C-alpha cells in the first residue's frame, strides 16, 4: 500500500503546476535571484563565487516562501476540502508531512533552476564548487525554516492573506535577530546570556558558515530542530482544531 | 453497523448535540431531518471522526470513533455539506487521489474508477476540472468520492441540496440501489425525501432526538401529512 503521506504530496505538487502559482513563483524568484546577483558588484569583485546570491537568499525567501506556504492549510479550511481530506483514512501527521515535503520539493526545484549561475561562475573562473554546494544545502535548509513557519501560520487561519502577513512577520523576527541594530535595542533590557540566545535563533547566523562552505553540526541541529518543531506544532494544532470543532 | 451512544457536543454555551443515541443496521437508510441548526451536521461529523464528542461515543463497523479513527474512516464514505472538492483537479485525478489514499493502486485503481464513474454517470466530465462542473455533476463527483473502496457505511450530508428535480431523482435512485448492502445515513430538509429513500427516520431538534420511526408512522401521527407531524414535534417544543 502506498504511503498516504506520499499520496498527499503527489496531489499537492501536481496542484502547484495546474495553477499559475508555480510559474509566477518560479519567474519572480529566478528573475530577482539573477537580477540582484549580477546587478551587484558581481563582476567588479572579480571573484568567482556565488556569495552575493547566497547573501540575497534570506531576504528573497522572506517574501517568496510565505507565498507558497500560505495556501497549504488556509485554503483547505476556507474551501472546506479539509473535511473531505480528513474523512479519508489519512492521519493528520501524514497529511502535514505530505504537504510540507511537496512545498519544500517545489522550492528545491526553484533553487536548482538557478544552475546557470553556477555555470557562469565556472566559466568565468574556477570557484570552489564544494563551497557552492554547501551554500545550496544551506539555502534549502533555510527555505525549510521559512516554510515550516509559514505552514504553521497557514494552519491557524482560514485566510491566506492573514497567513502570509503573519509568516512574514514571524520569519523576519528570525532573520533580523542577529542584526547589530536589533541587538543594540535588546541589549538595554536583556542579560548577556539571553542576548546570545536570541542571536542564536537567527536563520542568517546559522546560514553564515554553510555559505562559506563549512558544514557545522550545531547549524544542522538548529535547522533540523527548528523545522521539526514548527511542523510538529502544525500537526498538533490541526489535530486540536479537529477535536474542538 | 452504526451504533451511536449518547453523543454530546458543546460549542461554548450552545449544546449542539445533546445525548443522541441510535443504531443503523446493514440494509437501513436512516433519514436525518430537523430544522436548520438542529445538530444534524454536527452528529454526522462526529460519526465521521471530523470532530470529537464531549461525551458519548459511536462504533462504526466495530471500530470506536474515539479509539480507532483510521478504522472508522476506512469503513465510511462521507459526503460533507455543500460538497467541497479540490476545484483545480480534474474529475479523474481527484478520484485517483481518493483511490490511492484508500490503498487502491495500479489495476485496482483503474477498475475502481471505472466502476464509480459508471455508477455516478461521470464519463462525460472525466477530464474536466471540478471547478468548471455544474452543481449536479459536482454532487455526483462527491457521491463517487464516497463510493470509492466500497465502504460499508455511507454518511451523506444533504446529498440532494441544490439539485434540479431530475438530478434529485438520480441521486435517490443511486442511494436506493446501494441500500440493501450498506448502512446509510442521509440528512435532508425535504420531507418527501424520507418516503423516497429512507426506511427509517429520526427527527432531531435542538440537539435531541424528538421522533424516531418510519416515514409511514410519521404520516399517520401527523394525520396523513408528514409536514404536520414535523411541525408538531419541532414547533411544539419551542
Amino acid at each position: 500500500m502506498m504511503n498516504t503521506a506520499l499520496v498527499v504530496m503527489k496531489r499537492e505538487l501536481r496542484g502547484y503546476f495546474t495553477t499559475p502559482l508555480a510559474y509566477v513563483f518560479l519567474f519572480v524568484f529566478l528573475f530577482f535571484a539573477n537580477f540582484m546577483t549580477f546587478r551587484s558588484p558581481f563582476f567588479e569583485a572579480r571573484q568567482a563565487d556565488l556569495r552575493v546570491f547566497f547573501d540575497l537568499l534570506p531576504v528573497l525567501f522572506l517574501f517568496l516562501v510565505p507565498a507558497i506556504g500560505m495556501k497549504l492549510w488556509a485554503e483547505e479550511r476556507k474551501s472546506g476540502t479539509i473535511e473531505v481530506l480528513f474523512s479519508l483514512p489519512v492521519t493528520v501527521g501524514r497529511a502535514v508531512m505530505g504537504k510540507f515535503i511537496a512545498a519544500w520539493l517545489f522550492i528545491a526545484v526553484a533553487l536548482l533552476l538557478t544552475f546557470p549561475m553556477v555555470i557562469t561562475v565556472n566559466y568565468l573562473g574556477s570557484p570552489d564548487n564544494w563551497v557552492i554546494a554547501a551554500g545550496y544545502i544551506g539555502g534549502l535548509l533555510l527555505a525549510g525554516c521559512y516554510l515550516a513557519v509559514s505552514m504553521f501560520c497557514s494552519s491557524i487561519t482560514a485566510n491566506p492573506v492573514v497567513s502570509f502577513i503573519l509568516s512574514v512577520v514571524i520569519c523576519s523576527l528570525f532573520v533580523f535577530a542577529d542584526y547589530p541594530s536589533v541587538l543594540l535595542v535588546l541589549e538595554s533590557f536583556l542579560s548577556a546570556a539571553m542576548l546570545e540566545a536570541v542571536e542564536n535563533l537567527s536563520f542568517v547566523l546559522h546560514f553564515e558558515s554553510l555559505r562559506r562552505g563549512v558544514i557545522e553540526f550545531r547549524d544542522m541541529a538548529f535547522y533540523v530542530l527548528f523545522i521539526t518543531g514548527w511542523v510538529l506544532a502544525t500537526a498538533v494544532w490541526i489535530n486540536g482544531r479537529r477535536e474542538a470543532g | 453497523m452504526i451504533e451511536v451512544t449518547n453523543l454530546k457536543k458543546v460549542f461554548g454555551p450552545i449544546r449542539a448535540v445533546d445525548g443522541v443515541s441510535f443504531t443503523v443496521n446493514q440494509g437501513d437508510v436512516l433519514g436525518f431531518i430537523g430544522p436548520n441548526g438542529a445538530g444534524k451536521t454536527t452528529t454526522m461529523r462526529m460519526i465521521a471522526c471530523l470532530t470529537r464528542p464531549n461525551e458519548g461515543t459511536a462504533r462504526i463497523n466495530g471500530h470506536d470513533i474515539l479509539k480507532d479513527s483510521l478504522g472508522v474512516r476506512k469503513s465510511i464514505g462521507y459526503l460533507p455539506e455543500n460538497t467541497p472538492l479540490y476545484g483545480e483537479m480534474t474529475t479523474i485525478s481527484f478520484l485517483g487521489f481518493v483511490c490511492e489514499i484508500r490503498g487502491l493502486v495500479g489495476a485496482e485503481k483503474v477498475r475502481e474508477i471505472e466502476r464509480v464513474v459508471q455508477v455516478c454517470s461521470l464519463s462525460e466530465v472525466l477530464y474536466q476540472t471540478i471547478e468548471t462542473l455544474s452543481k449536479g455533476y459536482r454532487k455526483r463527483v462527491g457521491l463517487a468520492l464516497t463510493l470509492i473502496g466500497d465502504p460499508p457505511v455511507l454518511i451523506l450530508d444533504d446529498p440532494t441540496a441544490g439539485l434540479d428535480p431530475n438530478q434529485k431523482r438520480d441521486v435517490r435512485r443511486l442511494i436506493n440501489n446501494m441500500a440493501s448492502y450498506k448502512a446509510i445515513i442521509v440528512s435532508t430538509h425535504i420531507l418527501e425525501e424520507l418516503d423516497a429513500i429512507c426506511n427509517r427516520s429520526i427527527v432531531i431538534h435542538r440537539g435531541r432526538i424528538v421522533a424516531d420511526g418510519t416515514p409511514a408512522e410519521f404520516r399517520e401521527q401527523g394525520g396523513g401529512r408528514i409536514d404536520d407531524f414535523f411541525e408538531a414535534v419541532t414547533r411544539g417544543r419551542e
Side-chain angles (χ1 to χ4, degrees), chain B residues 210 221-222 226-238:
Chain B
V210 292
Q221 287 172 43
I226 290 192
D227 33 357
D228 286 345
F229 172 76
F230 183 75
E231 191 172 9
V233 291
T234 55
R235 277 259 170 83
R237 291 165 197 252
E238 265 172 25

Side-chain angles (χ1 to χ4, degrees), chain B residues 5-236:
Chain B
T5 349
N6 196 30
L7 276 186
K8 283 187 187 169
K9 183 75 187 179
V10 188
F11 294 116
I14 302 161
R15 290 174 168 278
V17 176
D18 194 7
V20 165
S21 306
F22 59 85
T23 38
V24 185
N25 298 316
Q26 187 176 6
D28 277 347
V29 180
L30 175 74
F32 237 38
I33 53 166
N36 285 329
K40 305 185 293 279
T41 296
T42 307
T43 306
M44 294 174 122
R45 292 182 69 234
M46 283 192 278
I47 298 173
C49 294
L50 287 167
T51 179
R52 211 172 231 270
N54 294 105
E55 240 179 81
T57 186
R59 287 177 77 78
I60 315 297
N61 208 17
H63 306 281
D64 192 294
I65 56 165
L66 300 177
K67 293 176 196 138
D68 184 12
S69 140
L70 267 189
V72 170
R73 287 184 281 158
K74 277 180 189 155
S75 322
I76 283 186
Y78 174 71
L79 176 70
E81 210 176 9
N82 306 324
T83 341
L85 301 168
Y86 294 105
E88 81 282 359
M89 293 181 97
T90 58
T91 306
I92 190 160
S93 60
F94 176 67
L95 295 177
F97 165 69
V98 179
C99 280
E100 285 175 9
I101 289 262
R102 288 202 180 272
L104 303 165
V105 288
E108 269 185 314
K109 174 177 145 183
V110 175
R111 223 175 305 133
E112 187 64 1
I113 292 179
E114 269 172 15
R115 184 182 75 88
V116 297
V117 162
Q118 206 227 331
V119 171
C120 301
S121 321
L122 287 170
S123 50
E124 279 173 37
V125 296
L126 270 186
Y127 298 97
Q128 224 168 302
T129 53
I130 293 174
E131 62 200 353
T132 63
L133 298 181
S134 67
K135 240 182 191 172
Y137 268 121
R138 284 176 66 105
K139 215 43 154 204
R140 275 194 250 169
V141 174
L143 280 167
L145 145 81
T146 65
L147 301 182
I148 287 173
D150 208 10
V153 174
L154 292 186
I155 295 179
L156 312 174
D157 199 348
D158 223 346
T160 56
L163 299 183
D164 68 39
N166 288 338
Q167 294 168 331
K168 272 184 189 158
R169 183 170 289 182
D170 288 344
V171 169
R172 288 175 195 159
R173 205 170 282 150
L174 195 69
I175 293 172
N176 281 332
N177 288 343
M178 297 181 297
S180 60
Y181 57 96
K182 285 187 193 292
I184 304 176
I185 302 181
V186 181
S187 82
T188 178
H189 288 105
I190 308 162
L191 298 171
E192 60 186 81
E193 208 135 79
L194 296 182
D195 273 328
I197 49 178
C198 307
N199 59 359
R200 205 180 123 205
S201 57
I202 282 177
V203 184
I204 186 162
H205 180 48
R206 295 193 170 173
R208 288 169 177 277
I209 293 177
V210 292
D212 182 348
T214 64
E217 284 166 7
F218 286 178
R219 182 172 301 104
E220 203 175 296
Q221 287 172 43
R225 292 171 58 97
I226 290 192
D227 33 357
D228 286 345
F229 172 76
F230 183 75
E231 191 172 9
V233 291
T234 55
R235 277 259 170 83

